Structures are given as C-alpha cells and as structure tokens.
Amino acid sequence: MKYSIGIDLGGTDIKAGLLAANGKLSCRTVVSTRVSEGAKAIAARIAQTIHQVIETADAESHPREEEKKEIVGIGLGAPGLIIADSGIIHFSPNFPGWSDIPLLDYVTAELDDLNLPLYIDNDVNVMVLGELHHGAGVGYENVVGLTLGTGVGGGVVINRKVYHGSWNTAGELGHTVVQPNGRKCGCGNHGCLEAYAGARHIVERAQQQIASGRKTCLNPERLTPKQIAEAATAGDELAFDIFSETGRYIGIALTSIAHILNPQIAIIGGGIAAAGENLLFQHIRGEFTARTMDIPGGMEIVPAKLGNNAGLVGAAMLVYNN
Ligand SMILES: [Zn+2]
C-alpha cells in the first residue's frame, strides 16, 4: 500500500503523520513550532518530524511484509497566503514578519538525501482536500469548504483539484460581503462574513445585545462562543438569536458562492461549527434555500467529518493533488 506524510504547520505546534491510501492515519508526532526562532529553525524541526514519522513507520512495518511501507511524498499545510507552485509563504498571520519565505527550499535543505517530493498549500485548502478524499466530501468533484474559528477560512476544489486563482488568493470565502456598511473586518473591509461569524465577532455581537438591555443568562465578561452555544442550547433566547443570525449570514455568503461556482457540496468545519444542527446548520440551509435560484441538483451543506485530523489528512493528500 502507498503512504504519504502530512504536516500541519501551526503557530503553536508542528504536527505530522503518515496517511495510508485508505485514509488511515498513523505515526503521529507533535513538536512545538517556536515561532520566535525563525523560519530556518522551524524548517529544521519540520524535517525532524518527517524523519521521526519515517523511523516510526519503518519500525512498525511487519517483518514478514514483502516490502516496507512505501512513502511516495510529503505535503505541508500552513496558514496564510501560500505560493503553492514555488513553495513560498508570502505572508502568514501566524508568523509575524515572514515575507516570501521559501519554506520548502529550507525544509528540502534539511532533508539530506531523502528523495521525496514535497508540496505546500494553505491550511484551509488542505482541509477541503482532506474532506474531499477521506471525509464529508467523498464522492464529489466540486467542493467548497469553510472553517469557522478565530477567522473564517475558505477553500475551493474544482474537478477534485484545489483552485488557486491567478495569484494564489482564491478561496477567501470568509471575506464575502454579507452586509454592506456592516461590521469592520480584520481585512479592512466592512461587512465580510468573518466580521459576523469569526469567534471574536460572535462574542462582540452578543455583548452589544447584552449592552442594549436584552435579557440573558450570559455574562458579557470573558464570554466565549462555546458559552453562547451552551446558553442557546439551554434555552437562552439572546444566545440562540446570535447563532441563528450567524447561520443566516453564512447562508447569505453561500448563496453568492453557489451562484458563482455551482459546487455540489459546502463543508463547514472549525470550532464554531460544533454548535451543530439546531443552532447553526438549519439556519444556514434555511437562508440558503430562501435566497438561491433554482439550481438543479442543489448544493448540500454539511458539517466537516475529519475534525482535528483534517489538516494532516489533507496535507498528506497534497501529494496526490499535484
Ligand atoms: Zn474581510
């Protein structure tokens, strides 16, 4: 069976794992990123995790197996604007000060004689690719993905390949405008989906409602989206309204996305998506259905399946995407 190595480069940890062609993940390893030490030190630690995965895979290969686990390549997912073709991180919010860092060259230099192809892509593109091959998107060709976390990430897969656009900036679905003159977004624009469905913005919207005098069990101090979701489930009306409204904004964004791209399915993951069917997904679908033109075949809107593994699985699948 063929295997590929996936690496999930984050601001806190570098995770790595071995993915079998059947989607089974093994040989997981985690090291701290230590951003302050700079790109070359991080590249060295990435190389170290790759060697660790290979050693573990070799040790786990059954002695009576005809051949060792055949590793065909390495894929790496990282946050930010990634120039996939040249292996460069143009900019990343998680790595302050990085500008056009040739990360793949740095990693390759640390891999000595290990002769495996190495690929990189944006972490949300990678998540969508993982879901396409081994998660909620199995059996589909045209897929969009949203990750609802601190920000709202997006990724587009067309004909089973990540779509990068002309300058590698395609798929910024979180910056679809859902409210002209709306809330200020981190990108500088007003009314982006992220300015409603990003974690901080969900909390701020709840705090504004509380400040306006609406009755609620929520405490505006140190409020989190999880607390709002729990209160909503327990019957708090304000908390429920915050989530249903979040769902409607996502539905508005997906309406534009469906009209532009006509994907078969939208896969929604990330911490906020854990709010689930009653608080979020039924409102997304309701708004989407009310607004979209009659699309033969429609567009499914489903939660992501791979959870925390999506980054590793998707990164490992970059080997086959290229
Ligand atoms: Zn924005």
Side-chain angles (χ1 to χ4, degrees), residues 61 177 228 230 242 249 263:
S61 281
V177 173
I228 302 170
E230 282 164 4
I242 291 293
Y249 279 119

Side-chain angles (χ1 to χ4, degrees), residues 35 41 65 74 85 101 108 145 164 168 196 212 244 247 249 260 292 296 316:
V35 173
E65 271 178 30
I74 303 161
D85 290 342
I101 295 288
T108 306
H164 292 106
N168 291 282
Y196 291 87
S212 76
S244 62
Y249 279 119
I260 297 165
T292 357

Side-chain angles (χ1 to χ4, degrees), residues 174-177 184-195:
H175 300 282
T176 307
V177 173
K184 181 97 192 265
C185 180
C187 72
N189 198 357
H190 285 265
C192 296
L193 175 61
E194 180 168 302

Side-chain angles (χ1 to χ4, degrees), residues 82-88 104 118-122 164 168 322:
I82 313 289
I83 318 288
D85 290 342
S86 42
I88 286 170
L104 285 201
L118 190 58
Y119 304 97
I120 188 170
D121 212 326
N122 166 273
H164 292 106
N168 291 282
N322 284 277

